[in-house]
Amino acid sequence: MNEDKSLKVGSAKEKLLFPKDFFPVENFSYIHDDLYVRVLYLEANQPFILLSFELTSLREYVIEELKKRISKQTDIPFKNIWICVTHTFSAPHSRSVDALEKGDFTIKQKNKVFCDILYSSAKKAVTLAIQQKQIAYVGFGHGFCSVNVNRDISTKDGWWLGANDLGISDKSVPIIKFENKQHHTIALLYSYDVQSSIMEGSLQKDGRYAVTSDLTGVTSQYIESQYDDCVAMYIVGAAGDQAPLFQAKHHIIDKEGQMHVTDIHEDGFVFVKALGTKLATQVIRACERIKTVPYMGTIQNIQTQFICPGQKIRDRQELKPTHHYNYLNDQDQMVGVEIIQFGYIVIVGVQPELSSVTAMDIRKQSPFPITMILTMVNGGAKYMPDQISYDRITYEAMNSKFAKGSAEMLTEQIVKTLENIKI
């Protein structure tokens, strides 16, 4: 084997170190468990790097600055850098440009501290990942786990958020496994259609809100505890209409069809550990079945974009279950699609939060045997629901800047692009 043409892989993770005087911020008072950034470095004919932050989302200006710094640090082109999140809801946010313009000194200062933490942690993890690069074998597999549930439920007043056991929910867990020549697992890239929101909005009994990596944080850390020197990187899948099976703060419906909200407070961390460990166990079981092989081909990065119709988003506080809703047209929206392809594996990244059924349709039509769908890649664009969601008037449909039919247009565009690059 000519080692110069072999796939090389490096991985690393770095803790996000918040100073003691950073809290309180955004109602968060303390850290229940640490947040991390994980890095996966791929190199064949060209280098690629993926970063996954245990955060809810990242603003465009933060992503641009991260990519600028990483590109300067490594000479990796902008287009070969993916900045992603795990979509845990119990984490601080970078503030919007508008909020910073209107905010006081404390808001601006804490935002700067927060961003500097991200930049510093990313730099350290990227450096370590590249330093640790080595010839790697690659393999793909699927786990299967029932820790997610469709969250669109029918109530007396209309569709709203809850747990719909009869709703569409993809239970598969796609996994890309990287091993070194000694068949030691050095990195895993996995995804799943779920929001890490078990503790979302849950107030602790002492009146405080806790920062936590939530469901997928527990999953990654448990996987890493089973494989020495392995980084288990999670990137959120098509989770727009998916929730964890259990949540600390959740809606329940009585026999009259009325909704009520209940909160079990810190007892919800039992759900975090139980569901996170269950998902991790299924990833590990699948990982043990994956056979890796050498890869000496190229890695392609394909980018495309298309225009779809837009709709106006109302104030989220005004949204509620309803049987009648007037969707208002707005300016067209530009949607980007980014694809990493090597061999029979394609990784598709988009900004919008897709419904689980949309990703299932894309994979079904894809000409590649292995197609992984990742969302909130290089930024977020809120929800892009499937057509049925608009007919039902779900929360996602009302809270989307994309008009009905956009998800189906996205599916068509992705499949067409994949057909054009099929090997």
Side-chain angles (χ1 to χ4, degrees):
M1 178 188 300
N2 185 340
E3 295 185 351
D4 291 338
K5 296 181 180 179
S6 300
L7 173 68
K8 297 179 182 67
V9 173
S11 62
K13 72 174 185 177
E14 190 71 28
K15 187 185 300 183
L16 305 184
L17 294 173
F18 298 98
K20 291 183 179 179
D21 60 356
F22 184 71
F23 297 97
V25 65
E26 298 179 65
N27 295 324
F28 295 112
S29 300
Y30 74 103
I31 297 176
H32 177 273
D33 56 278
D34 291 319
L35 306 179
Y36 288 85
V37 56
R38 290 175 171 83
V39 172
L40 178 64
Y41 174 81
L42 307 174
E43 180 186 314
N45 57 307
Q46 57 181 321
F48 287 80
I49 198 157
L50 288 75
L51 289 81
S52 178
F53 288 88
E54 289 183 325
L55 299 171
T56 313
S57 59
L58 284 170
R59 299 288 181 180
E60 182 178 339
Y61 69 89
V62 179
I63 292 173
E64 288 300 306
E65 183 65 21
L66 279 165
K67 297 180 78 167
K68 177 182 176 181
R69 292 182 180 220
I70 293 169
S71 183
K72 182 177 180 181
Q73 174 187 351
T74 63
D75 289 329
I76 297 175
F78 259 54
K79 65 183 182 67
N80 290 5
I81 302 171
W82 283 18
I83 308 296
C84 311
V85 294
T86 65
H87 208 31
T88 172
F89 280 70
S90 298
H93 298 71
S94 51
R95 295 304 184 101
S96 69
V97 173
D98 184 59
L100 292 174
E101 290 177 349
K102 298 178 180 178
D104 58 20
F105 174 80
T106 300
I107 288 177
K108 295 176 181 177
Q109 184 61 26
K110 287 195 175 184
N111 187 75
K112 181 180 184 304
V113 171
F114 178 72
C115 292
D116 287 343
I117 291 169
L118 302 188
Y119 302 148
S120 174
S121 300
K123 181 178 180 179
K124 292 177 182 177
V126 166
T127 298
L128 187 57
I130 294 176
Q131 288 176 347
Q132 295 182 345
K133 71 178 181 180
Q134 55 189 303
I135 294 173
Y137 293 5
V138 62
F140 183 89
H142 279 95
F144 184 88
C145 192
S146 298
V147 302
N148 63 346
V149 65
N150 191 293
R151 67 178 190 163
D152 294 332
I153 59 172
S154 178
T155 75
K156 179 181 179 181
D157 299 316
W159 286 82
W160 200 241
L161 303 175
N164 182 2
D165 292 300
L166 298 178
I168 296 175
S169 185
D170 189 359
K171 308 298 182 183
S172 64
V173 191
I175 306 160
I176 301 177
K177 177 181 178 180
F178 300 96
E179 292 183 328
N180 61 18
K181 284 185 173 182
Q182 291 73 42
H183 291 286
H184 174 84
T185 302
I186 57 176
L188 294 174
L189 174 62
Y190 72 104
S191 186
Y192 189 59
D193 292 358
V194 71
Q195 297 179 347
S196 284
S197 57
I198 293 176
M199 299 305 296
E200 177 189 4
S202 179
L203 186 66
Q204 309 306 284
K205 292 177 182 177
D206 62 4
R208 300 188 298 169
Y209 288 98
V211 171
T212 173
S213 59
D214 213 282
L215 169 62
T216 59
V218 170
T219 302
S220 289
Q221 292 199 49
Y222 186 82
I223 294 169
E224 291 164 348
S225 74
Q226 302 300 300
Y227 296 100
D228 294 337
D229 301 320
C230 170
V231 171
M233 176 185 283
Y234 171 82
I235 301 177
V236 65
D241 61 347
Q242 304 296 305
L245 185 60
F246 303 118
Q247 293 179 285
K249 184 178 181 180
H250 55 278
H251 296 91
I252 57 176
I253 302 177
D254 62 23
K255 65 183 180 65
E256 305 298 332
Q258 297 293 332
M259 274 195 318
H260 306 274
V261 178
T262 184
D263 189 351
I264 63 172
H265 312 293
E266 54 261 42
D267 290 344
F269 282 109
V270 174
F271 294 156
V272 175
K273 184 174 182 180
L275 297 185
T277 305
K278 181 178 180 180
L279 180 55
T281 301
Q282 296 307 312
V283 172
I284 292 167
R285 291 182 64 181
C287 183
E288 290 301 294
R289 296 192 298 267
I290 297 173
K291 303 300 181 183
T292 60
V293 296
Y295 181 73
M296 295 182 62
T298 61
I299 304 179
Q300 292 192 78
N301 182 11
I302 300 92
Q303 296 179 321
T304 185
Q305 57 185 12
F306 70 101
I307 295 175
C308 66
Q311 73 173 23
K312 291 184 179 179
I313 298 181
R314 311 282 178 84
D315 185 339
R316 189 174 65 173
Q317 303 302 320
E318 298 177 0
L319 300 181
K320 59 183 179 180
T322 179
H323 294 293
H324 305 284
Y325 186 80
N326 184 23
Y327 296 108
L328 301 177
N329 295 329
D330 201 358
Q331 62 185 14
D332 290 344
Q333 297 291 323
M334 183 70 71
V335 182
V337 178
E338 303 185 62
I339 299 171
I340 296 175
Q341 179 264 325
F342 52 104
Y344 55 83
I345 296 174
V346 289
I347 306 171
V348 180
V350 298
Q351 289 187 355
E353 298 177 56
L354 307 179
S355 299
S356 191
V357 67
T358 300
M360 293 169 69
D361 286 343
I362 294 171
R363 285 194 295 271
K364 183 178 179 180
Q365 298 180 52
S366 172
F368 286 84
I370 307 302
T371 305
M372 180 181 282
I373 311 296
L374 308 178
T375 64
M376 303 190 73
V377 173
N378 287 326
K382 299 186 75 66
Y383 303 106
M384 183 185 279
D386 60 300
Q387 292 189 36
I388 293 177
S389 294
Y390 290 88
D391 296 335
R392 290 175 170 176
I393 315 178
T394 65
Y395 171 79
E396 297 86 15
M398 290 186 286
N399 196 21
S400 174
K401 66 179 182 180
F402 305 104
K404 180 179 179 180
S406 295
E408 290 69 29
M409 292 176 65
L410 175 70
T411 299
E412 181 180 356
Q413 181 70 23
I414 291 174
V415 172
K416 183 186 299 182
T417 303
L418 295 179
E419 289 174 343
N420 291 334
I421 65 173
K422 182 181 178 182
I423 58 174

